[in-house]
Amino acid sequence: MQLSVRIHDSFWSEYIRLVKEVVVPYQWEALHDRVPGSEPSYAVRNFKIAAGLDHGEHGGMVFQDSDPAKWLEAVGYLLQTHTDPDLEAMADELISYMVKAQQADGYLNTYFTIKEQGKRWTNLAECHELYCAGHFIEGAVAYYRATGKRMILDAACKLADHINTVFGPEDGQIQGYDGHQEIELALVKLYRETGEAKYLELSRFFLEQRGQQPHFYLEEFEKRGGSVHFPQLDIAHDFAYSQAHLPVRNQETAEGHAVRVVYMCTGMADVAAETGDEDLLQACRKLWRNIVSKRMYLTGAIGSQEYGESFTYDYDLPSDTAYAETCASIGLIFFAQRMLQIEPKSEYANVMERALYNTVVSGMSRDGKRFFYVNPLEVDPARCRHNKNYAHVKAERQGWFGCACCPPNIARLIASLGEYIYTQKGETIYTHLYIGGEARFQIGETAITINQQSDYASIGQVHMKIAADHPNGMTFALRIPDWSDTLSVQINESAYTVDSEQFVDGYLRIHRIWKDGDTVDLDFGMPILRIRGHSSIRHTIGKTAIQRGPFVYCLEEADNGEGLHQIVLPAESELTVRSSPDMPADVPVIQAQAYREQLDGNDVPLYRYSRTDRQQLEEVSITFIPYFTWANRSKGEMTVWVREFH
Amino acid sequence: MQLSVRIHDSFWSEYIRLVKEVVVPYQWEALHDRVPGSEPSYAVRNFKIAAGLDHGEHGGMVFQDSDPAKWLEAVGYLLQTHTDPDLEAMADELISYMVKAQQADGYLNTYFTIKEQGKRWTNLAECHELYCAGHFIEGAVAYYRATGKRMILDAACKLADHINTVFGPEDGQIQGYDGHQEIELALVKLYRETGEAKYLELSRFFLEQRGQQPHFYLEEFEKRGGSVHFPQLDIAHDFAYSQAHLPVRNQETAEGHAVRVVYMCTGMADVAAETGDEDLLQACRKLWRNIVSKRMYLTGAIGSQEYGESFTYDYDLPSDTAYAETCASIGLIFFAQRMLQIEPKSEYANVMERALYNTVVSGMSRDGKRFFYVNPLEVDPARCRHNKNYAHVKAERQGWFGCACCPPNIARLIASLGEYIYTQKGETIYTHLYIGGEARFQIGETAITINQQSDYASIGQVHMKIAADHPNGMTFALRIPDWSDTLSVQINESAYTVDSEQFVDGYLRIHRIWKDGDTVDLDFGMPILRIRGHSSIRHTIGKTAIQRGPFVYCLEEADNGEGLHQIVLPAESELTVRSSPDMPADVPVIQAQAYREQLDGNDVPLYRYSRTDRQQLEEVSITFIPYFTWANRSKGEMTVWVREFH
């Protein structure tokens, strides 16, 4: 069992610091409606009102309770690795409101306690009660693990126990499920923490009920007289929006709201892992395959359209009207992590890395104060202003959101990043991500510490040092990133020759008697690669994207001027790295010689006739920056995919 | 003064026949709710109810009255050139309902007579009362000109007189205007027919009031207590949607709902022509320039987004999410025709031709039974089904529409096509369109008949024969199409040498003593041209489109298989014409050798890495068909713009 991971990484430590010193304190203020110029959150106030400590109306979304819960979860992760009495005191204050807001029977939801009393559990399809409960449970588990304080964990168990009486197969119980998956994965966490099998069973129940006929949404819709919470959607009838169109075992394509899909898959993988349900695992594999081979952006983003924040269909990946929600990539990372726990195959870790180093980090500004909800791969600020198809796309990160799901999601993911780096299976320790720091494992009687020093982000090199209380026969399984095309391995500073049989499922397996002080050096090379999309992707045809190491690159107006669509990159252009003081952690920018179509003046006709003439081109030098750093300078155009010269 | 034009044309006669034999009779049935499987129109029934001849509720849109009015107008045009007692009897029946539905004070609008009694003239911004009145007037004038029957013209005058009492600068009158322009151009028609200056003055009044402050929309909005007719829009406050953001003289860019813009411009040009208002004419020129040099599709379509059926901003011309409404191109033709009447410059006629031979004809199926409302330049049926950004785009023409503005608009335009071919200014007869038939003119004492035989659509050749009751010194001004790059002229079968001074504003001016029996032969050549978009158009960069004569071409899946985006056309590929039995009027298809990116299988990864490799290409033969004929075979992909190989 993996005991703990502390991160000291040239790339990630800064983000963890930002989360701790900027994001979490800022969100505390935001949750208390104390950020000037931002929409009030009402979230903490809702709990205080429900607790009888304040007066007034419920404010914010029906799922507003989930924001403080995610904040609490992030704090729990931070406190697991670093004590911080002030932060702990803030959390304890919040917890005191939450616990007071819990009803005598265990029910906890400020919206239905304050605003729609008596309507508990009447609109599961739309109203997120179990979703909020799930986030409360996740926050409680994280905080309990950090502090050992039972108050919040007891409240979570009381809530889960209450839910377990309301929902279930018996007469008088609701045979339903939440429109927004989350409770499923949270109940498995609670099961793992408490050992109470009823929570695992309840999670399985919710998954199995989903999409069954006669349809629960229609039944509850009729029962409540047809009232609707989100009139702009048709959630009660558009079953696919919330993945309720089929039983989960029968779903083969990722349909509907992208975040819900990946939260559902995470819960399915958790239950499959705990129950050994091979059929359920197979359903996870099918959905994974559909997402990553047909419906995922190069940046690990998912969700091709704004309507319903949803998937569309195979190979429909518009760069410009993308939804590509930060939360959806975070959910994809959850799903990948769960699959890695079940079957360590590098394809899961490759996607996890892609989403993490691109969409997730792009989701937050480099000062930790502003966020993207939508992460397009191509932006023109004029279109965002003047064409409604782009109204959801912002050319600048925002301070906060009316629906503020993304910022606390980034915070909790980065604060818990240590949980994504390694897994252990028997005597094998898998390294999925090359993030510097210290990780402790226990293999049989042997305590093992891996100290990873990583220059992975900048030059693709990793140094690992093993500490073991006595020599031990075990296997190190080291992921070979999908972008690496050379590999050099040293053990104890001597070249290590790799046998092809050592490559299994994308991991290099090194079995030996590892001794205290052994070192492993990995060099994955750091080729600058041109990416080409599958020929069925309409939006990337004839274009190329640039990737170096885990980072997808992009062109920005700040470096390359207006009209990025006019740039063409010859296939034979050399791509060279150049270090830049503006870039974090020595991640370089990339330069190339390219061409730009001559800018036509305002007086040039809209359409030109010719029998033969060609577009006039001028040679230009262009600069690619890592995608995650875009929109940290002036507001302007950006594109990941660039037209390529044949 | 031009007396009359009868069309006998290899291309257009078939469309006129379709309008007469299929479209107009079909629309008669549709207006009577007798088309099985189509949404009922309610339009005739509304008039019967308002006339006291039937009972029930008002049905259809608030502007439903305009559909029968446009039908009547089309019938008027048809009867102007061919008598048809059955058709005339149908029209007289409709007219009898309309006249009975007119109120004693002259008011005529079934919606406010049946459904919202007492709310006349309370929501001009949204409710189309003057718009419907305008269409009634246009229908009345056309029908009166054809038949000399005064009943409908008298009703129109009575309605206009009523409006003239309600609206005006005096106290107690409304200083307002309609959200949807149409009354302005209709009143000028009524003025020209009756000679009553008050109608011209009223038209001018409506134009001048538009966009003045304090804003009329806000005043009437408050007066009616803030009620809203179209809640999905915000017409009362989004002034630009209906071009009420500025006084019309100050508008320099085409903003908002595209049809309204061009109907407004048509009215402005009409008033400028009649009043000699140079400032107003200058405003027309500015809006024209903005549309045709920044905001028009290659097919003469306008309106870049579905939201508000509207313009967006300069050079924003997405091929796939285009709105490109048929009616908007028809309105652009109206505007061009009015400008040609004022100042014969070929740029107006070139755009008129572009819109007419591409978007307008594409708007109707080749059997006259189905119609496009939206005319995209790129379609993928899968996107229309699965991605909401494309929900307004249909891959097949529809039988009828809930908002059925386009089919009767096509009918009335084609039925009146004779009005667009020539204009006369003093002793100069301008030929704008090369459409075969007979046109009679009077120049001083001389009656002139031009008999045009046109193979313009198929081979770019025109033969004209002059009949004159005695020889006459006059000028023939013949438009040189913008796509022509060679010109050969014969007079009386002898080569005629053209002097450069004879080219004025895009017209070849031939002044001579024309005698009875003189002939002119024109050969414009028929080059197959590659079109390139202005480099500021993001959506056409790196692509080319094909045009031959007046026709823009496109690729269709039926000829070229699935995945049209995979096709690349080398810049040096020869383009060859091939006659095709499927195409109307000997318009050929065009073939070329091209390449297609190798189709990746389902098992190919979504993104491929490479340092150097190139996309594998296979040579293919591709077939372009004229854009107007697309979607007449199976449902499938279509694209006008094709990627070009550099």
Side-chain angles (χ1 to χ4, degrees), chain B residues 6-198:
Chain B
R6 280 169 188 272
I7 291 171
H8 305 287
D9 185 79
S10 56
F11 185 80
W12 289 102
S13 289
E14 170 63 9
Y15 281 100
I16 295 169
R17 185 193 70 76
L18 276 180
V19 166
K20 190 160 192 280
E21 295 179 10
V22 180
V23 183
V24 162
Y26 178 88
Q27 289 181 4
W28 179 253
E29 294 305 298
L31 293 170
H32 284 82
D33 316 328
R34 293 190 298 240
V35 175
S38 277
E39 285 183 62
S41 154
Y42 305 108
V44 170
R45 190 166 155 270
N46 289 338
F47 276 107
K48 290 174 79 172
I49 295 168
L53 301 169
D54 203 342
H55 298 281
E57 267 311 299
H58 182 275
M61 311 292 283
V62 69
F63 48 78
Q64 210 72 355
D65 287 2
S66 60
D67 289 342
K70 282 194 279 191
W71 180 87
L72 182 64
E73 188 185 346
V75 169
Y77 299 135
L78 291 174
L79 295 176
Q80 284 176 28
T81 50
H82 296 88
T83 57
D84 183 332
D86 292 346
L87 190 56
E88 193 169 327
M90 287 153 74
D92 286 338
E93 182 195 325
L94 174 63
I95 289 167
S96 74
Y97 306 147
M98 287 173 158
V99 171
K100 275 215 182 76
Q102 190 169 32
Q103 307 295 293
D105 59 2
Y107 183 82
L108 178 54
N109 182 294
T110 70
Y111 182 86
F112 287 97
T113 301
I114 303 169
K115 192 160 180 177
E116 295 211 49
Q117 289 177 18
K119 298 215 174 153
R120 283 186 194 183
W121 315 124
T122 58
N123 189 349
L124 273 293
E126 294 184 283
C127 288
H128 294 70
E129 276 163 293
L130 293 171
Y131 168 87
C132 289
H135 277 300
F136 182 76
I137 292 167
E138 283 202 279
V141 169
Y143 192 74
Y144 168 73
R145 280 193 198 164
T147 62
K149 294 179 179 169
R150 287 207 62 95
M151 185 198 268
I152 185 81
L153 188 69
D154 290 342
C157 291
K158 191 174 167 187
L159 171 57
D161 291 341
H162 172 66
I163 293 168
N164 201 27
T165 64
V166 174
F167 292 85
E170 307 294 330
D171 278 359
Q173 290 183 304
I174 302 174
Q175 281 87 52
Y177 46 92
D178 201 272
H180 198 316
Q181 302 86 332
E182 156 66 21
I183 187 74
E184 299 83 354
L185 70 92
L187 284 167
V188 176
K189 282 193 176 177
L190 192 60
Y191 158 68
R192 287 173 178 159
E193 195 58 41
T194 63
E196 293 280 3
K198 61 185 174 187

Side-chain angles (χ1 to χ4, degrees), chain B residues 243-257:
Chain B
Q243 304 75 48
H245 55 303
L246 285 172
V248 298
R249 292 168 190 275
N250 302 348
Q251 295 185 26
E252 301 195 352
T253 54
E255 303 296 337
H257 189 271

Side-chain angles (χ1 to χ4, degrees), chain B residues 385-398:
Chain B
R385 279 197 307 279
H386 297 298
N387 186 319
K388 284 277 179 186
N389 283 342
Y390 301 88
H392 63 291
V393 177
K394 306 293 176 207
E396 292 176 304
R397 293 176 184 81
Q398 311 290 304

